[in-house]
């Protein structure tokens, strides 16, 4: 209540100051008009009397009177017709046009952007470097750097296999993506394949089937691996990845790049959770999950900042062998899906259906991509 009363008093004081300024301007302008008119008439009277002491200064007096009239009338017209507000608005419009913004260098543009973000969202917060706006501003620059995914489609086929009298979950995973540069400048795509896993079958835990770049098969390329420290938050001791150094020249691009990779992974029969996240902003993300063992079912959940608390931003479709999840809008780095393999239970539905075709139809966009390979 005290703050509200203080704000009300401040607003009253500001209105009083505005009224005083406008009243003072009008009063001074009127007085100057009267003075200007008086000087003009005085100069006429002097010119008609050649014996007047100020006869030689009649023209000067007339000029001063006319100047006072012009300035005073202009001030009144500016106030009455709001020309100041119009000019200010027009200047803002001009400054917001690309012709003006393009003159600024990147440093100045970022300074202007930071100032606008702070002014819009937290103009009264005095948090210094600890201001959340500054943090988001920096993250914004990182997100919109290099490239983004125009399309990212993932296909995961589950099989229960037995190797040396021990059961494993085999996942055949295909990732197809189209990446585009943010600003049309040459950039490098490095994240072809990079996953963490527990090496249940040693080096054969992750097996590359093929890699295509712009629809061309890349030969003499395979999965590399290295040991990693088991950190808090995961139980994986090995990193499996495609070394991009031998094919670096194929991964530099200016406009777009198509990546198509197929690989297999093997995990313990008890490791039933599969998670996939995007590393860059993604405009269209879709994942197909299929289980080829009738005693198992699967459930999937989409997660992320952009879809948090809004089920209308994603769509899940149940099929006979699994399900499909598609985000209906942009997702950010770190957003993705989690799938869980379940023992089949006919008494309950394991899939949450959101705005789905109940006959189990595949999404048309994803289905077309799958047909094209």
């Amino acid at each position: 209540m005290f703050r509200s009363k203080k704000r009300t008093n401040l607003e009253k004081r500001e209105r009083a100051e505005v009224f005083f300024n406008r009243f003072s301007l009008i009063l001074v302008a009127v007085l100057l008009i009267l003075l200007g008119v008086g000087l003009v008439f005085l100069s006429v009277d002097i010119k008609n009397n050649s014996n007047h002491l100020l006869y030689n200064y009649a023209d000067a007096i007339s000029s001063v009177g006319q100047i006072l009239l012009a300035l005073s009338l202009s001030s009144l017209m500016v106030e009455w017709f709001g020309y100041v507000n119009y000019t200010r608005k027009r200047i803002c419009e001009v400054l917001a046009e690309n012709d003006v913004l393009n003159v600024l260098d990147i440093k100045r543009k970022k300074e202007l952007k930071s100032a606008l973000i702070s002014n819009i969202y937290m103009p009264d917060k005095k948090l210094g470097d600890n201001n959340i706006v500054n943090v988001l501003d920096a993250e914004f620059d990182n997100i919109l750097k290099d490239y983004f995914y125009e399309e990212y489609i993932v296909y995961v086929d589950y099989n229960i296999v037995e190797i040396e009298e021990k059961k494993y979950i085999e996942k055949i995973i295909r990732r197809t993506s189209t990446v585009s540069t943010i600003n049309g400048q040459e950039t490098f795509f490095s994240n072809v394949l990079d996953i963490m896993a527990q090496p249940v079958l040693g080096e054969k835990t992750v097996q590359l089937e093929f890699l295509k770049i712009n629809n061309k098969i890349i030969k003499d390329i395979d999965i590399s691996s290295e040991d990693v420290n088991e950190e808090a938050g995961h139980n994986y001791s090995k990193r499996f990845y495609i070394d991009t150094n031998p094919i670096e020249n194929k991964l530099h691009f200016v406009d777009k790049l198509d990546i198509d990779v197929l690989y297999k992974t093997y995990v313990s029969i008890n490791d039933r959770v599969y998670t996939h996240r995007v590393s860059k902003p993604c405009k269209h993300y879709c994942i197909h999950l299929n289980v080829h063992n009738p005693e198992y079912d699967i459930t999937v959940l989409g997660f992320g900042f952009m879809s948090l608390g809004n089920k209308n931003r994603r769509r899940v479709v149940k099929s006979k062998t699994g399900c499909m999840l598609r985000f209906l809008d942009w997702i950010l780095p770190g957003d993705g899906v989690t799938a869980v393999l379940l023992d089949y239970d006919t008494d309950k539905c394991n899939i949450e259906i959101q705005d789905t075709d109940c006959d189990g139809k595949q999404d048309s966009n994803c289905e077309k991509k799958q047909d094209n390979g």
Side-chain angles (χ1 to χ4, degrees):
M1 182 180 294
F2 176 77
R3 289 185 178 180
S4 178
K5 185 176 181 180
K6 185 177 181 179
R7 187 182 299 110
T8 301
N9 292 334
L10 180 62
E11 291 174 352
K12 288 181 178 179
R13 193 182 313 119
E14 289 176 349
R15 286 198 296 269
E17 290 176 356
V18 171
F19 175 79
F20 175 79
N21 291 337
R22 295 186 66 182
F23 176 80
S24 300
L25 175 64
I26 294 173
L27 179 62
V28 171
V30 170
L31 292 176
L32 290 177
I33 288 173
L34 294 176
L35 179 59
V37 171
L39 291 175
V40 170
F41 279 108
L42 176 61
S43 66
V44 172
D45 183 67
I46 293 174
K47 287 181 179 180
N48 293 330
N49 185 2
S50 58
N51 295 324
H52 199 284
L53 293 175
L54 300 175
Y55 180 83
N56 294 330
Y57 302 98
D59 292 333
I61 294 173
S62 177
S63 297
V64 171
Q66 293 175 17
I67 291 173
L68 291 176
L69 281 173
L71 290 175
S72 303
L73 290 173
S74 297
S75 299
L76 287 177
M77 290 181 67
V78 166
E79 182 61 29
W80 288 338
F81 295 102
Y83 189 73
V84 170
N85 292 333
Y86 168 78
T87 303
R88 184 183 304 160
K89 181 180 178 181
R90 182 56 187 152
I91 290 174
C92 293
E93 292 175 351
V94 170
L95 290 176
E97 293 177 354
N98 287 333
D99 291 341
V100 176
L101 293 176
N102 290 338
V103 176
L104 303 177
D105 57 24
I106 295 298
K107 181 182 178 181
R108 294 300 182 188
K109 287 180 180 179
K110 289 185 176 181
E111 290 175 351
L112 178 60
K113 178 202 65 174
S114 300
L116 287 173
I117 291 176
S118 298
N119 183 268
I120 292 171
Y121 296 107
M122 300 187 82
D124 299 324
K125 300 294 183 181
K126 305 297 183 183
L127 301 178
D129 294 336
N130 197 30
N131 194 328
I132 182 62
V133 172
N134 296 334
V135 176
L136 294 177
D137 187 18
E139 289 299 322
F140 188 75
D141 286 339
N142 291 329
I143 289 173
L144 295 181
K145 184 173 64 175
D146 300 333
Y147 59 87
F148 68 94
Y149 289 105
E150 280 195 6
E151 185 174 66
Y152 202 141
I153 301 180
V154 183
Y155 309 97
V156 184
D157 288 280
Y158 286 81
N159 295 293
I160 307 300
V161 297
E162 189 170 325
I163 301 175
E164 297 180 355
E165 299 181 353
K166 190 174 182 179
K167 286 187 175 181
Y168 297 92
I169 300 174
E170 176 194 67
K171 292 192 287 288
I172 303 174
I173 303 173
R174 184 175 185 179
R175 301 181 186 177
T176 63
S177 60
T178 299
V179 291
S180 297
T181 55
I182 295 287
N183 52 16
Q185 296 181 357
E186 182 176 331
T187 188
F188 176 67
F189 181 76
S190 59
N191 190 22
V192 177
L193 182 64
D194 195 335
I195 59 177
M196 304 287 289
Q198 197 67 24
V200 294
L201 294 179
E203 298 299 321
K204 294 183 178 180
T205 301
V206 181
Q207 301 175 20
L208 180 67
E209 297 296 316
F210 68 74
L211 169 64
K212 292 182 182 180
I213 299 177
N214 290 332
N215 296 320
K216 294 182 179 180
I217 290 286
I218 305 301
K219 299 179 180 179
D220 301 324
I221 195 79
D222 205 350
I223 298 288
S224 300
S225 65
E226 64 180 15
D227 295 331
V228 295
N229 295 325
E230 293 189 18
E231 301 173 354
H234 71 75
N235 298 315
Y236 306 124
S237 60
K238 213 168 189 66
R239 173 188 174 222
F240 297 87
Y241 63 97
I242 291 180
D243 185 3
T244 57
N245 289 324
I247 56 174
E248 182 176 350
N249 62 321
K250 300 180 184 298
L251 296 172
H252 282 275
F253 66 105
V254 176
D255 186 18
K256 294 183 180 181
L257 188 72
D258 291 320
I259 301 293
D260 188 355
V261 58
L262 177 67
Y263 62 99
K264 293 181 182 179
T265 66
Y266 294 89
V267 297
S268 166
I269 191 66
N270 297 318
D271 190 353
R272 305 247 183 132
V273 178
Y274 170 72
T275 300
H276 182 244
R277 297 180 176 89
V278 296
S279 57
K280 292 288 183 178
C282 182
K283 186 177 182 181
H284 172 227
Y285 180 92
C286 181
I287 185 169
H288 295 271
L289 300 154
N290 292 290
V291 182
H292 300 288
N293 297 78
E295 63 270 25
Y296 294 96
D297 200 353
I298 196 164
T299 185
V300 63
L301 172 68
F303 62 86
F305 174 78
M306 296 295 288
S307 61
L308 187 63
N310 187 351
K311 294 181 179 180
N312 294 326
R313 297 184 72 97
R314 58 190 184 274
R315 182 184 183 209
V316 179
V317 177
K318 177 69 174 173
S319 65
K320 292 182 180 179
T321 59
C323 57
M324 179 276 295
L325 182 145
R326 178 167 67 96
F327 285 101
L328 304 179
D329 207 338
W330 286 86
I331 58 175
L332 296 177
D335 296 355
V337 297
T338 293
V340 182
L341 194 65
L342 302 169
D343 293 323
Y344 188 77
D345 187 351
T346 57
D347 295 329
K348 66 179 181 179
C349 178
N350 291 317
I351 308 296
E352 181 185 4
I353 306 298
Q354 302 162 355
D355 187 25
T356 65
D357 298 329
C358 295
D359 58 0
K361 292 180 180 179
Q362 296 290 324
D363 177 75
S364 59
N365 291 331
C366 301
E367 192 172 47
K368 180 179 179 181
K369 180 73 176 181
Q370 188 175 22
D371 290 341
N372 293 336

